Amino acid sequence: MYCFFNVSFFVSGTWPFGIIWCNVYVTCDVLACSASIMHMCFISLGRYLGIRNPLKTRHSTTTRTVVLRIALVWLLSMLVSSSITVLD
């Protein structure tokens, strides 16, 4: 669905779907980009901590902490992307 909006916009040069779908499209785009960037930041931070304290990091990483980190990334990304919808 996301690709359909993108292709139709680039082919026609205009946005034929209305303001609501425009907001949905932009919000989803910012959400995906923000989540991707934040995931890379968390991966980098995890690798840094793994190099700095290898024994402590290895024993402190559990499935629960990984799930909490992923949830935190998505919640922060939703917070960033929701400002587009609220301010528009």
Side-chain angles (χ1 to χ4, degrees):
M1 188 165 145
Y2 180 78
C3 186
F4 171 73
F5 287 129
N6 203 11
V7 169
S8 63
F9 173 69
F10 284 115
V11 168
S12 68
T14 61
W15 186 262
F17 304 109
I19 190 71
I20 292 174
W21 282 108
C22 181
N23 285 338
V24 170
Y25 173 77
V26 171
T27 302
C28 290
D29 188 39
V30 171
L31 175 68
C33 291
S34 299
S36 177
I37 292 167
M38 286 187 200
H39 275 293
M40 290 297 166
C41 291
F42 271 62
I43 290 169
S44 298
L45 181 63
R47 289 184 178 180
Y48 169 74
L49 293 174
I51 290 171
R52 179 141 188 219
N53 298 320
L55 297 177
K56 182 180 177 185
T57 305
R58 181 176 293 177
H59 296 297
S60 67
T61 304
T62 63
T63 305
R64 183 177 181 200
T65 58
V66 171
V67 170
L68 287 174
R69 289 175 188 165
I70 292 171
L72 180 64
V73 164
W74 281 99
L75 287 173
L76 290 172
S77 298
M78 286 180 200
L79 181 69
V80 168
S81 65
S82 66
S83 64
I84 293 171
T85 306
V86 171
L87 295 176
D88 191 34

